[in-house]
PDB file of all heavy atoms in Angstrom:
ATOM      1  N   CYS A1447      10.675 -23.179   7.618  1.00 98.00           N
ATOM      2  CA  CYS A1447       9.385 -23.726   8.053  1.00 98.00           C
ATOM      3  C   CYS A1447       8.177 -22.944   7.565  1.00 98.00           C
ATOM      4  O   CYS A1447       7.250 -22.657   8.349  1.00 98.00           O
ATOM      5  CB  CYS A1447       9.353 -23.814   9.588  1.00 98.00           C
ATOM      6  SG  CYS A1447      10.705 -24.808  10.274  1.00 98.00           S
ATOM      7  N   SER A1448       8.120 -22.636   6.278  1.00 98.00           N
ATOM      8  CA  SER A1448       6.897 -22.110   5.692  1.00 98.00           C
ATOM      9  C   SER A1448       6.292 -23.162   4.758  1.00 98.00           C
ATOM     10  O   SER A1448       6.973 -24.080   4.302  1.00 98.00           O
ATOM     11  CB  SER A1448       7.158 -20.805   4.955  1.00 98.00           C
ATOM     12  OG  SER A1448       7.365 -19.755   5.885  1.00 98.00           O
ATOM     13  N   LYS A1449       5.010 -23.014   4.473  1.00 98.00           N
ATOM     14  CA  LYS A1449       4.291 -24.025   3.693  1.00 98.00           C
ATOM     15  C   LYS A1449       3.435 -23.345   2.629  1.00 98.00           C
ATOM     16  O   LYS A1449       2.705 -22.389   2.927  1.00 98.00           O
ATOM     17  CB  LYS A1449       3.413 -24.876   4.619  1.00 98.00           C
ATOM     18  CG  LYS A1449       2.602 -25.949   3.909  1.00 98.00           C
ATOM     19  CD  LYS A1449       1.981 -26.935   4.883  1.00 98.00           C
ATOM     20  CE  LYS A1449       0.968 -26.290   5.795  1.00 98.00           C
ATOM     21  NZ  LYS A1449       0.249 -27.317   6.613  1.00 98.00           N
ATOM     22  N   PHE A1450       3.485 -23.864   1.407  1.00 98.00           N
ATOM     23  CA  PHE A1450       2.732 -23.336   0.270  1.00 98.00           C
ATOM     24  C   PHE A1450       1.872 -24.461  -0.304  1.00 98.00           C
ATOM     25  O   PHE A1450       2.395 -25.457  -0.786  1.00 98.00           O
ATOM     26  CB  PHE A1450       3.685 -22.792  -0.788  1.00 98.00           C
ATOM     27  CG  PHE A1450       4.465 -21.590  -0.331  1.00 98.00           C
ATOM     28  CD1 PHE A1450       5.576 -21.738   0.472  1.00 98.00           C
ATOM     29  CD2 PHE A1450       4.060 -20.305  -0.683  1.00 98.00           C
ATOM     30  CE1 PHE A1450       6.285 -20.628   0.927  1.00 98.00           C
ATOM     31  CE2 PHE A1450       4.766 -19.193  -0.236  1.00 98.00           C
ATOM     32  CZ  PHE A1450       5.872 -19.357   0.565  1.00 98.00           C
ATOM     33  N   GLU A1451       0.562 -24.284  -0.252  1.00 98.00           N
ATOM     34  CA  GLU A1451      -0.361 -25.330  -0.692  1.00 98.00           C
ATOM     35  C   GLU A1451      -1.472 -24.766  -1.566  1.00 98.00           C
ATOM     36  O   GLU A1451      -2.016 -23.684  -1.294  1.00 98.00           O
ATOM     37  CB  GLU A1451      -1.019 -26.006   0.520  1.00 98.00           C
ATOM     38  CG  GLU A1451      -0.080 -26.808   1.390  1.00 98.00           C
ATOM     39  CD  GLU A1451      -0.838 -27.483   2.523  1.00 98.00           C
ATOM     40  OE1 GLU A1451      -1.566 -26.791   3.268  1.00 98.00           O
ATOM     41  OE2 GLU A1451      -0.696 -28.715   2.651  1.00 98.00           O
ATOM     42  N   ARG A1452      -1.786 -25.487  -2.625  1.00 98.00           N
ATOM     43  CA  ARG A1452      -2.956 -25.213  -3.476  1.00 98.00           C
ATOM     44  C   ARG A1452      -2.935 -23.801  -4.067  1.00 98.00           C
ATOM     45  O   ARG A1452      -3.984 -23.187  -4.284  1.00 98.00           O
ATOM     46  CB  ARG A1452      -4.268 -25.438  -2.702  1.00 98.00           C
ATOM     47  CG  ARG A1452      -4.420 -26.851  -2.160  1.00 98.00           C
ATOM     48  CD  ARG A1452      -5.797 -27.066  -1.542  1.00 98.00           C
ATOM     49  NE  ARG A1452      -6.096 -26.107  -0.487  1.00 98.00           N
ATOM     50  CZ  ARG A1452      -5.698 -26.238   0.783  1.00 98.00           C
ATOM     51  NH1 ARG A1452      -4.947 -27.286   1.151  1.00 98.00           N
ATOM     52  NH2 ARG A1452      -6.036 -25.335   1.679  1.00 98.00           N
ATOM     53  N   ASN A1453      -1.752 -23.307  -4.337  1.00 98.00           N
ATOM     54  CA  ASN A1453      -1.619 -22.010  -5.000  1.00 98.00           C
ATOM     55  C   ASN A1453      -1.438 -22.196  -6.490  1.00 98.00           C
ATOM     56  O   ASN A1453      -0.952 -23.231  -6.960  1.00 98.00           O
ATOM     57  CB  ASN A1453      -0.421 -21.246  -4.421  1.00 98.00           C
ATOM     58  CG  ASN A1453      -0.544 -21.045  -2.928  1.00 98.00           C
ATOM     59  OD1 ASN A1453      -1.376 -20.286  -2.452  1.00 98.00           O
ATOM     60  ND2 ASN A1453       0.297 -21.747  -2.175  1.00 98.00           N
ATOM     61  N   ARG A1454      -1.791 -21.161  -7.255  1.00 98.00           N
ATOM     62  CA  ARG A1454      -1.488 -21.120  -8.687  1.00 98.00           C
ATOM     63  C   ARG A1454      -0.335 -20.136  -8.886  1.00 98.00           C
ATOM     64  O   ARG A1454      -0.452 -18.955  -8.550  1.00 98.00           O
ATOM     65  CB  ARG A1454      -2.717 -20.683  -9.466  1.00 98.00           C
ATOM     66  CG  ARG A1454      -3.853 -21.711  -9.416  1.00 98.00           C
ATOM     67  CD  ARG A1454      -5.136 -21.140  -9.956  1.00 98.00           C
ATOM     68  NE  ARG A1454      -5.017 -20.777 -11.367  1.00 98.00           N
ATOM     69  CZ  ARG A1454      -5.922 -20.068 -12.031  1.00 98.00           C
ATOM     70  NH1 ARG A1454      -7.020 -19.621 -11.402  1.00 98.00           N
ATOM     71  NH2 ARG A1454      -5.744 -19.781 -13.295  1.00 98.00           N
ATOM     72  N   ILE A1455       0.778 -20.642  -9.396  1.00 99.00           N
ATOM     73  CA  ILE A1455       2.008 -19.872  -9.533  1.00 99.00           C
ATOM     74  C   ILE A1455       2.379 -19.947 -11.018  1.00 99.00           C
ATOM     75  O   ILE A1455       2.925 -20.946 -11.478  1.00 99.00           O
ATOM     76  CB  ILE A1455       3.118 -20.450  -8.636  1.00 99.00           C
ATOM     77  CG1 ILE A1455       2.638 -20.560  -7.174  1.00 99.00           C
ATOM     78  CG2 ILE A1455       4.383 -19.606  -8.721  1.00 99.00           C
ATOM     79  CD1 ILE A1455       3.530 -21.414  -6.287  1.00 99.00           C
ATOM     80  N   TYR A1456       2.075 -18.887 -11.756  1.00 98.00           N
ATOM     81  CA  TYR A1456       2.158 -19.037 -13.206  1.00 98.00           C
ATOM     82  C   TYR A1456       2.500 -17.705 -13.893  1.00 98.00           C
ATOM     83  O   TYR A1456       2.277 -16.621 -13.365  1.00 98.00           O
ATOM     84  CB  TYR A1456       0.841 -19.575 -13.750  1.00 98.00           C
ATOM     85  CG  TYR A1456      -0.373 -18.679 -13.557  1.00 98.00           C
ATOM     86  CD1 TYR A1456      -0.786 -17.790 -14.543  1.00 98.00           C
ATOM     87  CD2 TYR A1456      -1.120 -18.734 -12.390  1.00 98.00           C
ATOM     88  CE1 TYR A1456      -1.905 -16.975 -14.384  1.00 98.00           C
ATOM     89  CE2 TYR A1456      -2.247 -17.930 -12.202  1.00 98.00           C
ATOM     90  CZ  TYR A1456      -2.624 -17.058 -13.201  1.00 98.00           C
ATOM     91  OH  TYR A1456      -3.735 -16.251 -13.023  1.00 98.00           O
ATOM     92  N   SER A1457       3.091 -17.834 -15.074  1.00 98.00           N
ATOM     93  CA  SER A1457       3.352 -16.710 -15.999  1.00 98.00           C
ATOM     94  C   SER A1457       4.118 -15.577 -15.337  1.00 98.00           C
ATOM     95  O   SER A1457       3.843 -14.394 -15.569  1.00 98.00           O
ATOM     96  CB  SER A1457       2.011 -16.193 -16.583  1.00 98.00           C
ATOM     97  OG  SER A1457       1.314 -17.216 -17.234  1.00 98.00           O
ATOM     98  N   ASN A1458       5.107 -15.927 -14.527  1.00 98.00           N
ATOM     99  CA  ASN A1458       5.933 -14.910 -13.868  1.00 98.00           C
ATOM    100  C   ASN A1458       7.152 -14.609 -14.737  1.00 98.00           C
ATOM    101  O   ASN A1458       8.248 -15.116 -14.505  1.00 98.00           O
ATOM    102  CB  ASN A1458       6.318 -15.398 -12.468  1.00 98.00           C
ATOM    103  CG  ASN A1458       5.112 -15.466 -11.554  1.00 98.00           C
ATOM    104  OD1 ASN A1458       4.574 -14.443 -11.163  1.00 98.00           O
ATOM    105  ND2 ASN A1458       4.660 -16.681 -11.258  1.00 98.00           N
ATOM    106  N   ASN A1459       6.898 -13.779 -15.758  1.00 98.00           N
ATOM    107  CA  ASN A1459       7.911 -13.478 -16.782  1.00 98.00           C
ATOM    108  C   ASN A1459       7.995 -11.993 -17.088  1.00 98.00           C
ATOM    109  O   ASN A1459       8.445 -11.614 -18.170  1.00 98.00           O
ATOM    110  CB  ASN A1459       7.562 -14.246 -18.065  1.00 98.00           C
ATOM    111  CG  ASN A1459       7.322 -15.729 -17.837  1.00 98.00           C
ATOM    112  OD1 ASN A1459       8.207 -16.417 -17.342  1.00 98.00           O
ATOM    113  ND2 ASN A1459       6.133 -16.218 -18.166  1.00 98.00           N
ATOM    114  N   ALA A1460       7.565 -11.155 -16.170  1.00 98.00           N
ATOM    115  CA  ALA A1460       7.513  -9.709 -16.445  1.00 98.00           C
ATOM    116  C   ALA A1460       8.907  -9.169 -16.745  1.00 98.00           C
ATOM    117  O   ALA A1460       9.847  -9.334 -15.971  1.00 98.00           O
ATOM    118  CB  ALA A1460       6.907  -8.970 -15.255  1.00 98.00           C
ATOM    119  N   ASP A1461       9.032  -8.486 -17.859  1.00 98.00           N
ATOM    120  CA  ASP A1461      10.320  -7.993 -18.371  1.00 98.00           C
ATOM    121  C   ASP A1461      10.604  -6.614 -17.772  1.00 98.00           C
ATOM    122  O   ASP A1461      10.411  -5.582 -18.412  1.00 98.00           O
ATOM    123  CB  ASP A1461      10.261  -7.927 -19.907  1.00 98.00           C
ATOM    124  CG  ASP A1461      11.595  -7.629 -20.524  1.00 98.00           C
ATOM    125  OD1 ASP A1461      12.626  -7.738 -19.826  1.00 98.00           O
ATOM    126  OD2 ASP A1461      11.623  -7.259 -21.720  1.00 98.00           O
ATOM    127  N   LEU A1462      11.077  -6.597 -16.540  1.00 98.00           N
ATOM    128  CA  LEU A1462      11.260  -5.343 -15.795  1.00 98.00           C
ATOM    129  C   LEU A1462      12.696  -4.855 -15.754  1.00 98.00           C
ATOM    130  O   LEU A1462      12.965  -3.808 -15.151  1.00 98.00           O
ATOM    131  CB  LEU A1462      10.768  -5.536 -14.350  1.00 98.00           C
ATOM    132  CG  LEU A1462       9.317  -5.958 -14.185  1.00 98.00           C
ATOM    133  CD1 LEU A1462       8.985  -6.112 -12.703  1.00 98.00           C
ATOM    134  CD2 LEU A1462       8.377  -4.951 -14.836  1.00 98.00           C
ATOM    135  N   PHE A1463      13.619  -5.577 -16.393  1.00 98.00           N
ATOM    136  CA  PHE A1463      15.032  -5.220 -16.304  1.00 98.00           C
ATOM    137  C   PHE A1463      15.635  -4.983 -17.682  1.00 98.00           C
ATOM    138  O   PHE A1463      16.847  -5.093 -17.861  1.00 98.00           O
ATOM    139  CB  PHE A1463      15.811  -6.329 -15.573  1.00 98.00           C
ATOM    140  CG  PHE A1463      15.344  -6.575 -14.171  1.00 98.00           C
ATOM    141  CD1 PHE A1463      14.355  -7.512 -13.900  1.00 98.00           C
ATOM    142  CD2 PHE A1463      15.879  -5.845 -13.110  1.00 98.00           C
ATOM    143  CE1 PHE A1463      13.908  -7.734 -12.603  1.00 98.00           C
ATOM    144  CE2 PHE A1463      15.439  -6.057 -11.805  1.00 98.00           C
ATOM    145  CZ  PHE A1463      14.452  -7.001 -11.551  1.00 98.00           C
ATOM    146  N   ASN A1464      14.802  -4.630 -18.660  1.00 98.00           N
ATOM    147  CA  ASN A1464      15.332  -4.334 -19.989  1.00 98.00           C
ATOM    148  C   ASN A1464      15.979  -2.945 -20.001  1.00 98.00           C
ATOM    149  O   ASN A1464      15.831  -2.157 -19.052  1.00 98.00           O
ATOM    150  CB  ASN A1464      14.225  -4.447 -21.044  1.00 98.00           C
ATOM    151  CG  ASN A1464      13.061  -3.517 -20.763  1.00 98.00           C
ATOM    152  OD1 ASN A1464      13.222  -2.290 -20.705  1.00 98.00           O
ATOM    153  ND2 ASN A1464      11.862  -4.074 -20.577  1.00 98.00           N
ATOM    154  N   ALA A1465      16.688  -2.625 -21.075  1.00 97.00           N
ATOM    155  CA  ALA A1465      17.460  -1.384 -21.127  1.00 97.00           C
ATOM    156  C   ALA A1465      16.571  -0.152 -21.029  1.00 97.00           C
ATOM    157  O   ALA A1465      16.930   0.839 -20.361  1.00 97.00           O
ATOM    158  CB  ALA A1465      18.274  -1.345 -22.414  1.00 97.00           C
ATOM    159  N   GLN A1466      15.399  -0.197 -21.665  1.00 98.00           N
ATOM    160  CA  GLN A1466      14.504   0.953 -21.618  1.00 98.00           C
ATOM    161  C   GLN A1466      14.007   1.208 -20.189  1.00 98.00           C
ATOM    162  O   GLN A1466      13.988   2.344 -19.710  1.00 98.00           O
ATOM    163  CB  GLN A1466      13.321   0.719 -22.548  1.00 98.00           C
ATOM    164  CG  GLN A1466      12.347   1.880 -22.600  1.00 98.00           C
ATOM    165  CD  GLN A1466      11.193   1.628 -23.568  1.00 98.00           C
ATOM    166  OE1 GLN A1466      11.100   0.555 -24.175  1.00 98.00           O
ATOM    167  NE2 GLN A1466      10.319   2.596 -23.722  1.00 98.00           N
ATOM    168  N   ARG A1467      13.610   0.139 -19.477  1.00 98.00           N
ATOM    169  CA  ARG A1467      13.137   0.308 -18.110  1.00 98.00           C
ATOM    170  C   ARG A1467      14.273   0.731 -17.181  1.00 98.00           C
ATOM    171  O   ARG A1467      14.086   1.577 -16.295  1.00 98.00           O
ATOM    172  CB  ARG A1467      12.509  -1.010 -17.621  1.00 98.00           C
ATOM    173  CG  ARG A1467      11.880  -0.941 -16.218  1.00 98.00           C
ATOM    174  CD  ARG A1467      10.681  -0.004 -16.177  1.00 98.00           C
ATOM    175  NE  ARG A1467       9.647  -0.450 -17.076  1.00 98.00           N
ATOM    176  CZ  ARG A1467       8.594  -1.198 -16.714  1.00 98.00           C
ATOM    177  NH1 ARG A1467       8.434  -1.573 -15.470  1.00 98.00           N
ATOM    178  NH2 ARG A1467       7.681  -1.541 -17.603  1.00 98.00           N
ATOM    179  N   ASP A1468      15.468   0.179 -17.388  1.00 98.00           N
ATOM    180  CA  ASP A1468      16.621   0.584 -16.577  1.00 98.00           C
ATOM    181  C   ASP A1468      16.866   2.086 -16.697  1.00 98.00           C
ATOM    182  O   ASP A1468      17.097   2.776 -15.691  1.00 98.00           O
ATOM    183  CB  ASP A1468      17.872  -0.179 -17.025  1.00 98.00           C
ATOM    184  CG  ASP A1468      17.864  -1.638 -16.604  1.00 98.00           C
ATOM    185  OD1 ASP A1468      17.064  -2.005 -15.720  1.00 98.00           O
ATOM    186  OD2 ASP A1468      18.657  -2.409 -17.179  1.00 98.00           O
ATOM    187  N   ALA A1469      16.845   2.589 -17.918  1.00 97.00           N
ATOM    188  CA  ALA A1469      17.100   4.020 -18.135  1.00 97.00           C
ATOM    189  C   ALA A1469      16.029   4.878 -17.463  1.00 97.00           C
ATOM    190  O   ALA A1469      16.343   5.893 -16.818  1.00 97.00           O
ATOM    191  CB  ALA A1469      17.176   4.306 -19.633  1.00 97.00           C
ATOM    192  N   TYR A1470      14.775   4.488 -17.613  1.00 98.00           N
ATOM    193  CA  TYR A1470      13.689   5.257 -17.001  1.00 98.00           C
ATOM    194  C   TYR A1470      13.832   5.278 -15.479  1.00 98.00           C
ATOM    195  O   TYR A1470      13.640   6.323 -14.823  1.00 98.00           O
ATOM    196  CB  TYR A1470      12.342   4.668 -17.385  1.00 98.00           C
ATOM    197  CG  TYR A1470      11.183   5.426 -16.792  1.00 98.00           C
ATOM    198  CD1 TYR A1470      10.667   6.556 -17.419  1.00 98.00           C
ATOM    199  CD2 TYR A1470      10.593   5.024 -15.587  1.00 98.00           C
ATOM    200  CE1 TYR A1470       9.611   7.276 -16.869  1.00 98.00           C
ATOM    201  CE2 TYR A1470       9.547   5.723 -15.028  1.00 98.00           C
ATOM    202  CZ  TYR A1470       9.055   6.846 -15.675  1.00 98.00           C
ATOM    203  OH  TYR A1470       8.022   7.559 -15.109  1.00 98.00           O
ATOM    204  N   CYS A1471      14.159   4.131 -14.887  1.00 98.00           N
ATOM    205  CA  CYS A1471      14.182   4.015 -13.436  1.00 98.00           C
ATOM    206  C   CYS A1471      15.409   4.679 -12.799  1.00 98.00           C
ATOM    207  O   CYS A1471      15.490   4.768 -11.567  1.00 98.00           O
ATOM    208  CB  CYS A1471      14.096   2.550 -13.033  1.00 98.00           C
ATOM    209  SG  CYS A1471      12.478   1.800 -13.416  1.00 98.00           S
ATOM    210  N   LYS A1472      16.340   5.163 -13.607  1.00 97.00           N
ATOM    211  CA  LYS A1472      17.451   5.946 -13.071  1.00 97.00           C
ATOM    212  C   LYS A1472      17.078   7.411 -12.883  1.00 97.00           C
ATOM    213  O   LYS A1472      17.840   8.176 -12.291  1.00 97.00           O
ATOM    214  CB  LYS A1472      18.667   5.835 -13.983  1.00 97.00           C
ATOM    215  CG  LYS A1472      19.310   4.442 -13.975  1.00 97.00           C
ATOM    216  CD  LYS A1472      20.476   4.356 -14.948  1.00 97.00           C
ATOM    217  CE  LYS A1472      21.078   2.969 -14.954  1.00 97.00           C
ATOM    218  NZ  LYS A1472      22.191   2.839 -15.921  1.00 97.00           N
ATOM    219  N   ARG A1473      15.926   7.803 -13.377  1.00 96.00           N
ATOM    220  CA  ARG A1473      15.480   9.184 -13.188  1.00 96.00           C
ATOM    221  C   ARG A1473      15.172   9.432 -11.712  1.00 96.00           C
ATOM    222  O   ARG A1473      14.856   8.496 -10.965  1.00 96.00           O
ATOM    223  CB  ARG A1473      14.236   9.442 -14.035  1.00 96.00           C
ATOM    224  CG  ARG A1473      14.495   9.377 -15.526  1.00 96.00           C
ATOM    225  CD  ARG A1473      13.220   9.362 -16.343  1.00 96.00           C
ATOM    226  NE  ARG A1473      12.347  10.500 -16.044  1.00 96.00           N
ATOM    227  CZ  ARG A1473      11.206  10.739 -16.686  1.00 96.00           C
ATOM    228  NH1 ARG A1473      10.814   9.927 -17.664  1.00 96.00           N
ATOM    229  NH2 ARG A1473      10.469  11.765 -16.376  1.00 96.00           N
ATOM    230  N   PRO A1474      15.236  10.676 -11.250  1.00 95.00           N
ATOM    231  CA  PRO A1474      14.863  10.974  -9.859  1.00 95.00           C
ATOM    232  C   PRO A1474      13.461  10.475  -9.557  1.00 95.00           C
ATOM    233  O   PRO A1474      12.556  10.567 -10.391  1.00 95.00           O
ATOM    234  CB  PRO A1474      14.961  12.495  -9.783  1.00 95.00           C
ATOM    235  CG  PRO A1474      15.918  12.872 -10.872  1.00 95.00           C
ATOM    236  CD  PRO A1474      15.708  11.871 -11.967  1.00 95.00           C
ATOM    237  N   MET A1475      13.270   9.959  -8.358  1.00 91.00           N
ATOM    238  CA  MET A1475      12.016   9.285  -8.026  1.00 91.00           C
ATOM    239  C   MET A1475      10.792  10.184  -8.244  1.00 91.00           C
ATOM    240  O   MET A1475       9.767   9.740  -8.771  1.00 91.00           O
ATOM    241  CB  MET A1475      12.059   8.802  -6.575  1.00 91.00           C
ATOM    242  CG  MET A1475      10.901   7.897  -6.208  1.00 91.00           C
ATOM    243  SD  MET A1475      10.956   7.369  -4.481  1.00 91.00           S
ATOM    244  CE  MET A1475      12.562   6.603  -4.419  1.00 91.00           C
ATOM    245  N   LEU A1476      10.905  11.448  -7.877  1.00 93.00           N
ATOM    246  CA  LEU A1476       9.740  12.325  -7.961  1.00 93.00           C
ATOM    247  C   LEU A1476       9.375  12.702  -9.388  1.00 93.00           C
ATOM    248  O   LEU A1476       8.299  13.251  -9.630  1.00 93.00           O
ATOM    249  CB  LEU A1476       9.972  13.587  -7.126  1.00 93.00           C
ATOM    250  CG  LEU A1476      10.068  13.359  -5.613  1.00 93.00           C
ATOM    251  CD1 LEU A1476      10.294  14.678  -4.890  1.00 93.00           C
ATOM    252  CD2 LEU A1476       8.824  12.671  -5.076  1.00 93.00           C
ATOM    253  N   SER A1477      10.261  12.412 -10.337  1.00 96.00           N
ATOM    254  CA  SER A1477       9.940  12.707 -11.741  1.00 96.00           C
ATOM    255  C   SER A1477       9.356  11.505 -12.458  1.00 96.00           C
ATOM    256  O   SER A1477       9.021  11.601 -13.634  1.00 96.00           O
ATOM    257  CB  SER A1477      11.212  13.177 -12.470  1.00 96.00           C
ATOM    258  OG  SER A1477      12.124  12.090 -12.627  1.00 96.00           O
ATOM    259  N   ARG A1478       9.219  10.375 -11.777  1.00 96.00           N
ATOM    260  CA  ARG A1478       8.681   9.173 -12.406  1.00 96.00           C
ATOM    261  C   ARG A1478       7.181   9.085 -12.213  1.00 96.00           C
ATOM    262  O   ARG A1478       6.623   9.564 -11.226  1.00 96.00           O
ATOM    263  CB  ARG A1478       9.308   7.914 -11.779  1.00 96.00           C
ATOM    264  CG  ARG A1478      10.789   7.795 -11.857  1.00 96.00           C
ATOM    265  CD  ARG A1478      11.213   6.491 -11.209  1.00 96.00           C
ATOM    266  NE  ARG A1478      12.543   6.584 -10.621  1.00 96.00           N
ATOM    267  CZ  ARG A1478      12.952   5.842  -9.611  1.00 96.00           C
ATOM    268  NH1 ARG A1478      12.128   4.969  -9.063  1.00 96.00           N
ATOM    269  NH2 ARG A1478      14.168   5.979  -9.140  1.00 96.00           N
ATOM    270  N   ASP A1479       6.534   8.417 -13.145  1.00 96.00           N
ATOM    271  CA  ASP A1479       5.125   8.056 -13.006  1.00 96.00           C
ATOM    272  C   ASP A1479       5.033   6.889 -12.012  1.00 96.00           C
ATOM    273  O   ASP A1479       5.637   5.842 -12.244  1.00 96.00           O
ATOM    274  CB  ASP A1479       4.574   7.642 -14.364  1.00 96.00           C
ATOM    275  CG  ASP A1479       3.098   7.289 -14.322  1.00 96.00           C
ATOM    276  OD1 ASP A1479       2.537   7.115 -13.219  1.00 96.00           O
ATOM    277  OD2 ASP A1479       2.493   7.165 -15.410  1.00 96.00           O
ATOM    278  N   PRO A1480       4.312   7.030 -10.907  1.00 91.00           N
ATOM    279  CA  PRO A1480       4.236   5.919  -9.948  1.00 91.00           C
ATOM    280  C   PRO A1480       3.614   4.660 -10.526  1.00 91.00           C
ATOM    281  O   PRO A1480       3.770   3.583  -9.953  1.00 91.00           O
ATOM    282  CB  PRO A1480       3.375   6.491  -8.815  1.00 91.00           C
ATOM    283  CG  PRO A1480       2.652   7.633  -9.414  1.00 91.00           C
ATOM    284  CD  PRO A1480       3.536   8.195 -10.471  1.00 91.00           C
ATOM    285  N   LYS A1481       2.956   4.752 -11.672  1.00 96.00           N
ATOM    286  CA  LYS A1481       2.366   3.574 -12.296  1.00 96.00           C
ATOM    287  C   LYS A1481       3.350   2.854 -13.216  1.00 96.00           C
ATOM    288  O   LYS A1481       2.985   1.864 -13.839  1.00 96.00           O
ATOM    289  CB  LYS A1481       1.105   3.964 -13.056  1.00 96.00           C
ATOM    290  CG  LYS A1481      -0.007   4.445 -12.147  1.00 96.00           C
ATOM    291  CD  LYS A1481      -1.278   4.741 -12.934  1.00 96.00           C
ATOM    292  CE  LYS A1481      -2.382   5.216 -11.992  1.00 96.00           C
ATOM    293  NZ  LYS A1481      -3.635   5.508 -12.730  1.00 96.00           N
ATOM    294  N   VAL A1482       4.578   3.351 -13.306  1.00 97.00           N
ATOM    295  CA  VAL A1482       5.646   2.628 -14.010  1.00 97.00           C
ATOM    296  C   VAL A1482       6.497   1.943 -12.953  1.00 97.00           C
ATOM    297  O   VAL A1482       7.171   2.610 -12.170  1.00 97.00           O
ATOM    298  CB  VAL A1482       6.501   3.573 -14.876  1.00 97.00           C
ATOM    299  CG1 VAL A1482       7.644   2.795 -15.538  1.00 97.00           C
ATOM    300  CG2 VAL A1482       5.631   4.242 -15.939  1.00 97.00           C
ATOM    301  N   LEU A1483       6.441   0.637 -12.922  1.00 97.00           N
ATOM    302  CA  LEU A1483       7.093  -0.130 -11.862  1.00 97.00           C
ATOM    303  C   LEU A1483       8.593  -0.108 -12.056  1.00 97.00           C
ATOM    304  O   LEU A1483       9.114  -0.470 -13.112  1.00 97.00           O
ATOM    305  CB  LEU A1483       6.572  -1.568 -11.891  1.00 97.00           C
ATOM    306  CG  LEU A1483       6.897  -2.485 -10.719  1.00 97.00           C
ATOM    307  CD1 LEU A1483       5.920  -3.666 -10.724  1.00 97.00           C
ATOM    308  CD2 LEU A1483       8.315  -3.018 -10.756  1.00 97.00           C
ATOM    309  N   CYS A1484       9.316   0.320 -11.015  1.00 98.00           N
ATOM    310  CA  CYS A1484      10.786   0.288 -11.006  1.00 98.00           C
ATOM    311  C   CYS A1484      11.235  -0.700  -9.943  1.00 98.00           C
ATOM    312  O   CYS A1484      10.977  -0.498  -8.750  1.00 98.00           O
ATOM    313  CB  CYS A1484      11.349   1.678 -10.708  1.00 98.00           C
ATOM    314  SG  CYS A1484      11.193   2.825 -12.078  1.00 98.00           S
ATOM    315  N   PRO A1485      11.890  -1.791 -10.333  1.00 98.00           N
ATOM    316  CA  PRO A1485      12.289  -2.797  -9.365  1.00 98.00           C
ATOM    317  C   PRO A1485      13.272  -2.258  -8.322  1.00 98.00           C
ATOM    318  O   PRO A1485      14.157  -1.471  -8.654  1.00 98.00           O
ATOM    319  CB  PRO A1485      12.949  -3.881 -10.221  1.00 98.00           C
ATOM    320  CG  PRO A1485      12.458  -3.646 -11.603  1.00 98.00           C
ATOM    321  CD  PRO A1485      12.255  -2.169 -11.715  1.00 98.00           C
ATOM    322  N   THR A1486      13.117  -2.723  -7.095  1.00 96.00           N
ATOM    323  CA  THR A1486      14.049  -2.324  -6.040  1.00 96.00           C
ATOM    324  C   THR A1486      15.082  -3.401  -5.751  1.00 96.00           C
ATOM    325  O   THR A1486      16.002  -3.173  -4.958  1.00 96.00           O
ATOM    326  CB  THR A1486      13.295  -2.003  -4.749  1.00 96.00           C
ATOM    327  OG1 THR A1486      12.560  -3.158  -4.324  1.00 96.00           O
ATOM    328  CG2 THR A1486      12.330  -0.843  -4.963  1.00 96.00           C
ATOM    329  N   GLU A1487      14.936  -4.581  -6.358  1.00 96.00           N
ATOM    330  CA  GLU A1487      15.948  -5.618  -6.214  1.00 96.00           C
ATOM    331  C   GLU A1487      15.931  -6.511  -7.452  1.00 96.00           C
ATOM    332  O   GLU A1487      14.933  -6.556  -8.176  1.00 96.00           O
ATOM    333  CB  GLU A1487      15.739  -6.459  -4.961  1.00 96.00           C
ATOM    334  CG  GLU A1487      14.452  -7.274  -4.940  1.00 96.00           C
ATOM    335  CD  GLU A1487      14.379  -8.166  -3.724  1.00 96.00           C
ATOM    336  OE1 GLU A1487      15.152  -9.141  -3.671  1.00 96.00           O
ATOM    337  OE2 GLU A1487      13.553  -7.888  -2.826  1.00 96.00           O
ATOM    338  N   LEU A1488      17.042  -7.217  -7.680  1.00 98.00           N
ATOM    339  CA  LEU A1488      17.139  -8.106  -8.825  1.00 98.00           C
ATOM    340  C   LEU A1488      16.571  -9.468  -8.470  1.00 98.00           C
ATOM    341  O   LEU A1488      16.841 -10.023  -7.401  1.00 98.00           O
ATOM    342  CB  LEU A1488      18.604  -8.264  -9.231  1.00 98.00           C
ATOM    343  CG  LEU A1488      18.876  -9.221 -10.396  1.00 98.00           C
ATOM    344  CD1 LEU A1488      18.223  -8.734 -11.678  1.00 98.00           C
ATOM    345  CD2 LEU A1488      20.383  -9.393 -10.603  1.00 98.00           C
ATOM    346  N   VAL A1489      15.766 -10.012  -9.375  1.00 98.00           N
ATOM    347  CA  VAL A1489      15.229 -11.360  -9.237  1.00 98.00           C
ATOM    348  C   VAL A1489      15.442 -12.111 -10.544  1.00 98.00           C
ATOM    349  O   VAL A1489      15.638 -11.492 -11.599  1.00 98.00           O
ATOM    350  CB  VAL A1489      13.733 -11.323  -8.891  1.00 98.00           C
ATOM    351  CG1 VAL A1489      13.498 -10.594  -7.558  1.00 98.00           C
ATOM    352  CG2 VAL A1489      12.909 -10.668  -9.991  1.00 98.00           C
TER     353      VAL A1489
END
């Protein structure tokens, strides 16, 4: 029972699960740049 109206839902193609990003995001959290997005779940 949720409703979505008059929204713009577009260009959702961010490549966040490629091999380079996977390798970077396996590093310990405190050694990562917080401005490099590491996904917490698969979509």
